[in-house]
Amino acid sequence: MSYLTDLGYLALGSRLRRLNDRLAREGTQVYDTLGIHFEIRWFPVFHLLGQRGPSAVMEIADTLELTHPAIIEIADKLSDRGLLTSRKDDKDRRRRLLALTPKGKRLTEQLQPVWRAFERCGREVARGGGNDLLEAIESVEAALDRLPLHDRIVDRLQPKRVRTQK
Amino acid sequence: MSYLTDLGYLALGSRLRRLNDRLAREGTQVYDTLGIHFEIRWFPVFHLLGQRGPSAVMEIADTLELTHPAIIEIADKLSDRGLLTSRKDDKDRRRRLLALTPKGKRLTEQLQPVWRAFERCGREVARGGGNDLLEAIESVEAALDRLPLHDRIVDRLQPKRVRTQK
DNA sequence: CAACAATACGTAAGTAGTTACGTAAAGGAT
DNA sequence: ATCCTTTACGTAACTACTTACGTATTGTTG
């Protein structure tokens, strides 16, 4: 039992981050072992472009729930490696459409079985002991949607107020 | 159903990060609302020093499963705010012992009820729908201890090999 | 006990994101 | 058609960490 474990729900954030780091490290190792130069942070963008075809920066950012500077950074890297190109949208010249190059498309093909293995093994690991990590995350998100943690805590500490103002 | 939700176990990392960000944001808001200048990242260090008394940098880093530069950064901030002091360990002059100042101790006292509320509400939120987030995290960590994700995936993709080499 | 290895700490630079801010293009109201 | 607002994108700076590396001590061993 580590100190963090003892802290229980007080260290939920640390635990989430630690698990995330661990999964990221192991994911990175998989591509390394397979000798494929691919970074795990590229995955959502790559997957999206493979599925939807050319997409604008903000469109991708909104879909993946990241900010647009993050997408631009990933796009620049992918572009450097010749996996992605971009062009101005003729209908709306503010928008820049990102698309996979033929090389990028070949890589998505090559990665299909790898991603399937990630999915299977992720499921295998995330389920166990009567708890499903993904379901647990979803139920926490749903609980927070009903009433944010902030309100729960402040209401508990200041029970006089009927409702806390935003 | 968002795109990330559709990705399921493939986007586990994104989901963990997103939830972590959300909890962090809401935690920060609580201290803001209460008018207490306290950053959530200070918590583990603060809690540890309150409980164990003066501790060396590496000792804290190991206990909290962070690296020593992270501890130093937090310590510098706490020191600037007059909540923490440090002195060289006389037994081992390489070590620097961090300790709460009287002001720091008063703050821990003030924060006790807040932390209790965090614990209660964290538990309330993390449990639900038959899944406990903390238990789910622990069972995933246990599964990874038994066999890392890397090995599971590589074994699945290269079933010829009896065991993958490190 | 001298020499070498190991440990503690400090600092710099990297990482994967964010917020903040500026510019260009598009859309809407009059 | 003009003015104002909104949207898309680019870039800079911040955040909360990490790894890498250098120096000061301490421990170990021949």
mmCIF file of all heavy atoms in Angstrom, chain A residues 68-109:
data_model
loop_
_atom_site.group_PDB
_atom_site.id
_atom_site.type_symbol
_atom_site.label_atom_id
_atom_site.label_comp_id
_atom_site.label_asym_id
_atom_site.label_seq_id
_atom_site.Cartn_x
_atom_site.Cartn_y
_atom_site.Cartn_z
ATOM 1 N N HIS A 68 -7.251 23.715 -30.836
ATOM 2 C CA HIS A 68 -6.693 23.724 -32.175
ATOM 3 C C HIS A 68 -5.168 23.818 -32.207
ATOM 4 O O HIS A 68 -4.547 23.208 -33.078
ATOM 5 C CB HIS A 68 -7.380 24.789 -33.063
ATOM 6 C CG HIS A 68 -6.938 26.186 -32.801
ATOM 7 N ND1 HIS A 68 -7.523 26.974 -31.817
ATOM 8 C CD2 HIS A 68 -5.983 26.941 -33.359
ATOM 9 C CE1 HIS A 68 -6.926 28.140 -31.806
ATOM 10 N NE2 HIS A 68 -6.000 28.161 -32.736
ATOM 11 N N PRO A 69 -4.509 24.518 -31.250
ATOM 12 C CA PRO A 69 -3.045 24.496 -31.306
ATOM 13 C C PRO A 69 -2.477 23.076 -31.180
ATOM 14 O O PRO A 69 -1.446 22.766 -31.784
ATOM 15 C CB PRO A 69 -2.636 25.371 -30.120
ATOM 16 C CG PRO A 69 -3.788 26.275 -29.892
ATOM 17 C CD PRO A 69 -5.001 25.462 -30.222
ATOM 18 N N ALA A 70 -3.146 22.240 -30.406
ATOM 19 C CA ALA A 70 -2.677 20.854 -30.279
ATOM 20 C C ALA A 70 -2.762 20.135 -31.623
ATOM 21 O O ALA A 70 -1.830 19.421 -32.016
ATOM 22 C CB ALA A 70 -3.507 20.112 -29.230
ATOM 23 N N ILE A 71 -3.853 20.348 -32.344
ATOM 24 C CA ILE A 71 -4.022 19.717 -33.655
ATOM 25 C C ILE A 71 -2.964 20.222 -34.634
ATOM 26 O O ILE A 71 -2.357 19.442 -35.371
ATOM 27 C CB ILE A 71 -5.430 20.002 -34.225
ATOM 28 C CG1 ILE A 71 -6.513 19.564 -33.232
ATOM 29 C CG2 ILE A 71 -5.613 19.340 -35.583
ATOM 30 C CD1 ILE A 71 -6.462 18.115 -32.849
ATOM 31 N N ILE A 72 -2.728 21.530 -34.600
ATOM 32 C CA ILE A 72 -1.733 22.110 -35.500
ATOM 33 C C ILE A 72 -0.350 21.508 -35.251
ATOM 34 O O ILE A 72 0.387 21.184 -36.183
ATOM 35 C CB ILE A 72 -1.690 23.650 -35.331
ATOM 36 C CG1 ILE A 72 -2.977 24.255 -35.895
ATOM 37 C CG2 ILE A 72 -0.472 24.244 -36.002
ATOM 38 C CD1 ILE A 72 -3.144 25.741 -35.623
ATOM 39 N N GLU A 73 -0.035 21.320 -33.978
ATOM 40 C CA GLU A 73 1.276 20.763 -33.640
ATOM 41 C C GLU A 73 1.421 19.341 -34.175
ATOM 42 O O GLU A 73 2.455 18.989 -34.767
ATOM 43 C CB GLU A 73 1.447 20.768 -32.117
ATOM 44 C CG GLU A 73 2.871 21.028 -31.675
ATOM 45 C CD GLU A 73 2.964 21.077 -30.169
ATOM 46 O OE1 GLU A 73 2.565 22.113 -29.606
ATOM 47 O OE2 GLU A 73 3.406 20.079 -29.558
ATOM 48 N N ILE A 74 0.386 18.546 -33.965
ATOM 49 C CA ILE A 74 0.415 17.173 -34.477
ATOM 50 C C ILE A 74 0.482 17.188 -36.005
ATOM 51 O O ILE A 74 1.269 16.462 -36.614
ATOM 52 C CB ILE A 74 -0.834 16.401 -33.993
ATOM 53 C CG1 ILE A 74 -0.785 16.221 -32.475
ATOM 54 C CG2 ILE A 74 -0.939 15.048 -34.697
ATOM 55 C CD1 ILE A 74 -2.076 15.708 -31.861
ATOM 56 N N ALA A 75 -0.314 18.058 -36.610
ATOM 57 C CA ALA A 75 -0.344 18.132 -38.072
ATOM 58 C C ALA A 75 1.032 18.515 -38.629
ATOM 59 O O ALA A 75 1.482 17.953 -39.628
ATOM 60 C CB ALA A 75 -1.397 19.141 -38.527
ATOM 61 N N ASP A 76 1.707 19.444 -37.957
ATOM 62 C CA ASP A 76 3.036 19.850 -38.419
ATOM 63 C C ASP A 76 3.997 18.665 -38.409
ATOM 64 O O ASP A 76 4.762 18.459 -39.349
ATOM 65 C CB ASP A 76 3.596 20.971 -37.528
ATOM 66 C CG ASP A 76 2.906 22.303 -37.788
ATOM 67 O OD1 ASP A 76 2.157 22.402 -38.775
ATOM 68 O OD2 ASP A 76 3.100 23.244 -36.985
ATOM 69 N N LYS A 77 3.941 17.903 -37.324
ATOM 70 C CA LYS A 77 4.815 16.728 -37.216
ATOM 71 C C LYS A 77 4.511 15.717 -38.310
ATOM 72 O O LYS A 77 5.407 15.205 -38.976
ATOM 73 C CB LYS A 77 4.613 16.047 -35.846
ATOM 74 C CG LYS A 77 5.518 16.548 -34.753
ATOM 75 C CD LYS A 77 6.675 15.563 -34.464
ATOM 76 C CE LYS A 77 7.532 16.013 -33.306
ATOM 77 N NZ LYS A 77 6.906 15.697 -32.008
ATOM 78 N N LEU A 78 3.235 15.433 -38.494
ATOM 79 C CA LEU A 78 2.830 14.452 -39.507
ATOM 80 C C LEU A 78 3.215 14.937 -40.895
ATOM 81 O O LEU A 78 3.579 14.152 -41.771
ATOM 82 C CB LEU A 78 1.322 14.198 -39.426
ATOM 83 C CG LEU A 78 0.842 13.435 -38.194
ATOM 84 C CD1 LEU A 78 -0.675 13.389 -38.133
ATOM 85 C CD2 LEU A 78 1.401 12.013 -38.205
ATOM 86 N N SER A 79 3.110 16.234 -41.076
ATOM 87 C CA SER A 79 3.457 16.837 -42.347
ATOM 88 C C SER A 79 4.956 16.690 -42.624
ATOM 89 O O SER A 79 5.372 16.320 -43.725
ATOM 90 C CB SER A 79 3.039 18.307 -42.308
ATOM 91 O OG SER A 79 3.316 18.917 -43.529
ATOM 92 N N ASP A 80 5.766 16.952 -41.594
ATOM 93 C CA ASP A 80 7.216 16.781 -41.725
ATOM 94 C C ASP A 80 7.572 15.360 -42.150
ATOM 95 O O ASP A 80 8.520 15.140 -42.895
ATOM 96 C CB ASP A 80 7.922 17.058 -40.384
ATOM 97 C CG ASP A 80 7.931 18.544 -40.044
ATOM 98 O OD1 ASP A 80 7.595 19.341 -40.929
ATOM 99 O OD2 ASP A 80 8.268 18.882 -38.900
ATOM 100 N N ARG A 81 6.806 14.407 -41.644
ATOM 101 C CA ARG A 81 7.105 13.010 -41.943
ATOM 102 C C ARG A 81 6.430 12.547 -43.231
ATOM 103 O O ARG A 81 6.423 11.356 -43.544
ATOM 104 C CB ARG A 81 6.674 12.098 -40.791
ATOM 105 C CG ARG A 81 7.275 12.512 -39.454
ATOM 106 C CD ARG A 81 7.598 11.322 -38.589
ATOM 107 N NE ARG A 81 8.923 10.809 -38.853
ATOM 108 C CZ ARG A 81 9.199 9.627 -39.403
ATOM 109 N NH1 ARG A 81 8.245 8.817 -39.752
ATOM 110 N NH2 ARG A 81 10.444 9.258 -39.604
ATOM 111 N N GLY A 82 5.806 13.484 -43.934
ATOM 112 C CA GLY A 82 5.224 13.144 -45.233
ATOM 113 C C GLY A 82 3.961 12.312 -45.158
ATOM 114 O O GLY A 82 3.569 11.655 -46.118
ATOM 115 N N LEU A 83 3.299 12.349 -43.990
ATOM 116 C CA LEU A 83 2.102 11.520 -43.812
ATOM 117 C C LEU A 83 0.825 12.320 -44.043
ATOM 118 O O LEU A 83 -0.256 11.745 -44.158
ATOM 119 C CB LEU A 83 2.086 10.937 -42.386
ATOM 120 C CG LEU A 83 3.264 10.028 -42.042
ATOM 121 C CD1 LEU A 83 3.323 9.759 -40.548
ATOM 122 C CD2 LEU A 83 3.154 8.722 -42.821
ATOM 123 N N LEU A 84 0.960 13.626 -44.120
ATOM 124 C CA LEU A 84 -0.207 14.504 -44.167
ATOM 125 C C LEU A 84 0.101 15.728 -45.028
ATOM 126 O O LEU A 84 1.230 16.209 -45.026
ATOM 127 C CB LEU A 84 -0.525 14.901 -42.718
ATOM 128 C CG LEU A 84 -1.654 15.844 -42.371
ATOM 129 C CD1 LEU A 84 -2.178 15.486 -40.989
ATOM 130 C CD2 LEU A 84 -1.168 17.274 -42.365
ATOM 131 N N THR A 85 -0.892 16.176 -45.744
ATOM 132 C CA THR A 85 -0.758 17.457 -46.458
ATOM 133 C C THR A 85 -1.942 18.322 -46.098
ATOM 134 O O THR A 85 -2.946 17.837 -45.582
ATOM 135 C CB THR A 85 -0.777 17.307 -47.995
ATOM 136 O OG1 THR A 85 -1.791 16.367 -48.348
ATOM 137 C CG2 THR A 85 0.564 16.892 -48.518
ATOM 138 N N SER A 86 -1.835 19.605 -46.428
ATOM 139 C CA SER A 86 -2.964 20.478 -46.147
ATOM 140 C C SER A 86 -3.131 21.448 -47.302
ATOM 141 O O SER A 86 -2.190 21.760 -48.019
ATOM 142 C CB SER A 86 -2.729 21.230 -44.838
ATOM 143 O OG SER A 86 -1.636 22.119 -44.975
ATOM 144 N N ARG A 87 -4.352 21.895 -47.468
ATOM 145 C CA ARG A 87 -4.615 22.918 -48.476
ATOM 146 C C ARG A 87 -5.765 23.791 -47.973
ATOM 147 O O ARG A 87 -6.577 23.364 -47.138
ATOM 148 C CB ARG A 87 -4.970 22.285 -49.814
ATOM 149 C CG ARG A 87 -6.232 21.449 -49.794
ATOM 150 C CD ARG A 87 -6.673 21.058 -51.213
ATOM 151 N NE ARG A 87 -8.100 20.704 -51.194
ATOM 152 C CZ ARG A 87 -8.579 19.555 -50.740
ATOM 153 N NH1 ARG A 87 -7.782 18.625 -50.264
ATOM 154 N NH2 ARG A 87 -9.888 19.335 -50.749
ATOM 155 N N LYS A 88 -5.827 24.997 -48.477
ATOM 156 C CA LYS A 88 -6.907 25.914 -48.111
ATOM 157 C C LYS A 88 -8.229 25.380 -48.654
ATOM 158 O O LYS A 88 -8.291 24.859 -49.764
ATOM 159 C CB LYS A 88 -6.632 27.298 -48.689
ATOM 160 C CG LYS A 88 -5.736 28.165 -47.824
ATOM 161 C CD LYS A 88 -6.403 29.520 -47.548
ATOM 162 C CE LYS A 88 -5.989 30.161 -46.249
ATOM 163 N NZ LYS A 88 -4.598 30.166 -45.911
ATOM 164 N N ASP A 89 -9.258 25.555 -47.867
ATOM 165 C CA ASP A 89 -10.606 25.194 -48.312
ATOM 166 C C ASP A 89 -11.091 26.275 -49.281
ATOM 167 O O ASP A 89 -11.087 27.463 -48.949
ATOM 168 C CB ASP A 89 -11.527 25.115 -47.086
ATOM 169 C CG ASP A 89 -12.942 24.680 -47.452
ATOM 170 O OD1 ASP A 89 -13.295 24.725 -48.651
ATOM 171 O OD2 ASP A 89 -13.680 24.288 -46.537
ATOM 172 N N ASP A 90 -11.483 25.888 -50.511
ATOM 173 C CA ASP A 90 -11.891 26.879 -51.509
ATOM 174 C C ASP A 90 -13.217 27.543 -51.146
ATOM 175 O O ASP A 90 -13.440 28.716 -51.467
ATOM 176 C CB ASP A 90 -11.984 26.230 -52.897
ATOM 177 C CG ASP A 90 -10.600 25.928 -53.458
ATOM 178 O OD1 ASP A 90 -9.654 26.667 -53.092
ATOM 179 O OD2 ASP A 90 -10.462 24.963 -54.228
ATOM 180 N N LYS A 91 -14.067 26.792 -50.462
ATOM 181 C CA LYS A 91 -15.373 27.349 -50.072
ATOM 182 C C LYS A 91 -15.222 28.385 -48.947
ATOM 183 O O LYS A 91 -15.988 29.328 -48.853
ATOM 184 C CB LYS A 91 -16.310 26.247 -49.557
ATOM 185 C CG LYS A 91 -16.367 24.983 -50.406
ATOM 186 C CD LYS A 91 -17.095 25.222 -51.702
ATOM 187 C CE LYS A 91 -17.060 23.955 -52.569
ATOM 188 N NZ LYS A 91 -17.484 24.227 -53.948
ATOM 189 N N ASP A 92 -14.262 28.140 -48.076
ATOM 190 C CA ASP A 92 -14.056 29.019 -46.912
ATOM 191 C C ASP A 92 -12.562 29.152 -46.691
ATOM 192 O O ASP A 92 -11.942 28.288 -46.088
ATOM 193 C CB ASP A 92 -14.762 28.419 -45.690
ATOM 194 C CG ASP A 92 -14.607 29.305 -44.456
ATOM 195 O OD1 ASP A 92 -13.764 30.228 -44.473
ATOM 196 O OD2 ASP A 92 -15.338 29.081 -43.475
ATOM 197 N N ARG A 93 -12.008 30.246 -47.181
ATOM 198 C CA ARG A 93 -10.548 30.342 -47.230
ATOM 199 C C ARG A 93 -9.904 30.586 -45.869
ATOM 200 O O ARG A 93 -8.672 30.683 -45.766
ATOM 201 C CB ARG A 93 -10.128 31.420 -48.231
ATOM 202 C CG ARG A 93 -10.709 31.170 -49.646
ATOM 203 C CD ARG A 93 -9.640 30.903 -50.683
ATOM 204 N NE ARG A 93 -8.517 31.815 -50.532
ATOM 205 C CZ ARG A 93 -8.483 33.086 -50.960
ATOM 206 N NH1 ARG A 93 -9.548 33.612 -51.550
ATOM 207 N NH2 ARG A 93 -7.408 33.799 -50.798
ATOM 208 N N ARG A 94 -10.730 30.644 -44.808
ATOM 209 C CA ARG A 94 -10.134 30.684 -43.472
ATOM 210 C C ARG A 94 -9.682 29.288 -43.063
ATOM 211 O O ARG A 94 -8.769 29.114 -42.272
ATOM 212 C CB ARG A 94 -11.165 31.152 -42.429
ATOM 213 C CG ARG A 94 -11.549 32.586 -42.533
ATOM 214 C CD ARG A 94 -12.741 32.865 -41.631
ATOM 215 N NE ARG A 94 -13.865 31.975 -41.915
ATOM 216 C CZ ARG A 94 -15.020 32.015 -41.291
ATOM 217 N NH1 ARG A 94 -15.228 32.873 -40.313
ATOM 218 N NH2 ARG A 94 -15.992 31.194 -41.614
ATOM 219 N N ARG A 95 -10.404 28.290 -43.588
ATOM 220 C CA ARG A 95 -10.169 26.913 -43.141
ATOM 221 C C ARG A 95 -9.022 26.254 -43.895
ATOM 222 O O ARG A 95 -8.817 26.498 -45.074
ATOM 223 C CB ARG A 95 -11.435 26.073 -43.329
ATOM 224 C CG ARG A 95 -12.541 26.571 -42.448
ATOM 225 C CD ARG A 95 -13.900 25.933 -42.680
ATOM 226 N NE ARG A 95 -13.958 24.698 -43.391
ATOM 227 C CZ ARG A 95 -14.509 23.568 -42.917
ATOM 228 N NH1 ARG A 95 -15.034 23.567 -41.704
ATOM 229 N NH2 ARG A 95 -14.552 22.493 -43.654
ATOM 230 N N ARG A 96 -8.294 25.413 -43.163
ATOM 231 C CA ARG A 96 -7.233 24.639 -43.797
ATOM 232 C C ARG A 96 -7.606 23.180 -43.663
ATOM 233 O O ARG A 96 -7.852 22.691 -42.555
ATOM 234 C CB ARG A 96 -5.908 24.904 -43.079
ATOM 235 C CG ARG A 96 -4.705 24.467 -43.868
ATOM 236 C CD ARG A 96 -3.439 24.731 -43.103
ATOM 237 N NE ARG A 96 -3.224 23.700 -42.089
ATOM 238 C CZ ARG A 96 -2.151 23.610 -41.314
ATOM 239 N NH1 ARG A 96 -1.204 24.504 -41.389
ATOM 240 N NH2 ARG A 96 -2.020 22.661 -40.440
ATOM 241 N N LEU A 97 -7.687 22.502 -44.778
ATOM 242 C CA LEU A 97 -8.086 21.096 -44.760
ATOM 243 C C LEU A 97 -6.854 20.199 -44.643
ATOM 244 O O LEU A 97 -5.908 20.331 -45.417
ATOM 245 C CB LEU A 97 -8.857 20.755 -46.039
ATOM 246 C CG LEU A 97 -10.199 21.476 -46.204
ATOM 247 C CD1 LEU A 97 -10.793 21.188 -47.575
ATOM 248 C CD2 LEU A 97 -11.161 21.077 -45.100
ATOM 249 N N LEU A 98 -6.884 19.315 -43.689
ATOM 250 C CA LEU A 98 -5.800 18.348 -43.514
ATOM 251 C C LEU A 98 -6.222 17.027 -44.140
ATOM 252 O O LEU A 98 -7.382 16.632 -44.039
ATOM 253 C CB LEU A 98 -5.515 18.124 -42.021
ATOM 254 C CG LEU A 98 -5.264 19.374 -41.169
ATOM 255 C CD1 LEU A 98 -4.937 18.963 -39.741
ATOM 256 C CD2 LEU A 98 -4.145 20.215 -41.752
ATOM 257 N N ALA A 99 -5.295 16.355 -44.769
ATOM 258 C CA ALA A 99 -5.601 15.057 -45.380
ATOM 259 C C ALA A 99 -4.376 14.156 -45.353
ATOM 260 O O ALA A 99 -3.233 14.640 -45.377
ATOM 261 C CB ALA A 99 -6.061 15.261 -46.826
ATOM 262 N N LEU A 100 -4.588 12.862 -45.295
ATOM 263 C CA LEU A 100 -3.489 11.911 -45.342
ATOM 264 C C LEU A 100 -2.919 11.847 -46.753
ATOM 265 O O LEU A 100 -3.659 11.939 -47.736
ATOM 266 C CB LEU A 100 -3.975 10.514 -44.939
ATOM 267 C CG LEU A 100 -4.480 10.357 -43.510
ATOM 268 C CD1 LEU A 100 -4.942 8.937 -43.255
ATOM 269 C CD2 LEU A 100 -3.420 10.763 -42.508
ATOM 270 N N THR A 101 -1.621 11.704 -46.832
ATOM 271 C CA THR A 101 -0.975 11.453 -48.130
ATOM 272 C C THR A 101 -1.112 9.961 -48.441
ATOM 273 O O THR A 101 -1.502 9.182 -47.571
ATOM 274 C CB THR A 101 0.527 11.786 -48.052
ATOM 275 O OG1 THR A 101 1.109 10.972 -47.022
ATOM 276 C CG2 THR A 101 0.747 13.249 -47.727
ATOM 277 N N PRO A 102 -0.775 9.545 -49.652
ATOM 278 C CA PRO A 102 -0.762 8.105 -49.950
ATOM 279 C C PRO A 102 0.095 7.340 -48.939
ATOM 280 O O PRO A 102 -0.317 6.279 -48.454
ATOM 281 C CB PRO A 102 -0.143 8.051 -51.350
ATOM 282 C CG PRO A 102 -0.537 9.347 -51.978
ATOM 283 C CD PRO A 102 -0.506 10.356 -50.860
ATOM 284 N N LYS A 103 1.241 7.903 -48.609
ATOM 285 C CA LYS A 103 2.083 7.265 -47.587
ATOM 286 C C LYS A 103 1.343 7.132 -46.253
ATOM 287 O O LYS A 103 1.433 6.105 -45.576
ATOM 288 C CB LYS A 103 3.356 8.111 -47.399
ATOM 289 C CG LYS A 103 4.382 7.528 -46.444
ATOM 290 C CD LYS A 103 5.634 8.413 -46.379
ATOM 291 C CE LYS A 103 6.571 7.974 -45.269
ATOM 292 N NZ LYS A 103 7.668 8.954 -45.042
ATOM 293 N N GLY A 104 0.614 8.183 -45.903
ATOM 294 C CA GLY A 104 -0.168 8.153 -44.673
ATOM 295 C C GLY A 104 -1.245 7.082 -44.725
ATOM 296 O O GLY A 104 -1.489 6.369 -43.749
ATOM 297 N N LYS A 105 -1.872 6.968 -45.888
ATOM 298 C CA LYS A 105 -2.929 5.958 -46.038
ATOM 299 C C LYS A 105 -2.368 4.551 -45.944
ATOM 300 O O LYS A 105 -2.963 3.676 -45.327
ATOM 301 C CB LYS A 105 -3.661 6.146 -47.372
ATOM 302 C CG LYS A 105 -4.655 7.306 -47.336
ATOM 303 C CD LYS A 105 -5.337 7.510 -48.684
ATOM 304 C CE LYS A 105 -6.123 8.823 -48.671
ATOM 305 N NZ LYS A 105 -6.333 9.356 -50.023
ATOM 306 N N ARG A 106 -1.191 4.354 -46.553
ATOM 307 C CA ARG A 106 -0.563 3.027 -46.443
ATOM 308 C C ARG A 106 -0.263 2.699 -44.987
ATOM 309 O O ARG A 106 -0.466 1.573 -44.541
ATOM 310 C CB ARG A 106 0.730 2.988 -47.269
ATOM 311 C CG ARG A 106 0.505 2.770 -48.759
ATOM 312 C CD ARG A 106 1.798 2.329 -49.461
ATOM 313 N NE ARG A 106 2.889 3.292 -49.317
ATOM 314 C CZ ARG A 106 3.027 4.389 -50.062
ATOM 315 N NH1 ARG A 106 2.135 4.684 -51.002
ATOM 316 N NH2 ARG A 106 4.048 5.197 -49.869
ATOM 317 N N LEU A 107 0.184 3.732 -44.247
ATOM 318 C CA LEU A 107 0.483 3.494 -42.827
ATOM 319 C C LEU A 107 -0.780 3.115 -42.044
ATOM 320 O O LEU A 107 -0.753 2.207 -41.221
ATOM 321 C CB LEU A 107 1.167 4.728 -42.214
ATOM 322 C CG LEU A 107 1.603 4.617 -40.760
ATOM 323 C CD1 LEU A 107 2.478 3.391 -40.518
ATOM 324 C CD2 LEU A 107 2.356 5.876 -40.322
ATOM 325 N N THR A 108 -1.886 3.798 -42.304
ATOM 326 C CA THR A 108 -3.143 3.411 -41.611
ATOM 327 C C THR A 108 -3.484 1.961 -41.899
ATOM 328 O O THR A 108 -3.902 1.239 -40.997
ATOM 329 C CB THR A 108 -4.379 4.239 -42.036
ATOM 330 O OG1 THR A 108 -4.337 4.498 -43.416
ATOM 331 C CG2 THR A 108 -4.465 5.538 -41.278
ATOM 332 N N GLU A 109 -3.290 1.538 -43.154
ATOM 333 C CA GLU A 109 -3.561 0.132 -43.491
ATOM 334 C C GLU A 109 -2.692 -0.790 -42.656
ATOM 335 O O GLU A 109 -3.162 -1.750 -42.056
ATOM 336 C CB GLU A 109 -3.300 -0.127 -44.985
ATOM 337 C CG GLU A 109 -4.373 0.435 -45.904
ATOM 338 C CD GLU A 109 -5.775 0.084 -45.416
ATOM 339 O OE1 GLU A 109 -6.044 -1.096 -45.121
ATOM 340 O OE2 GLU A 109 -6.607 1.016 -45.310
#
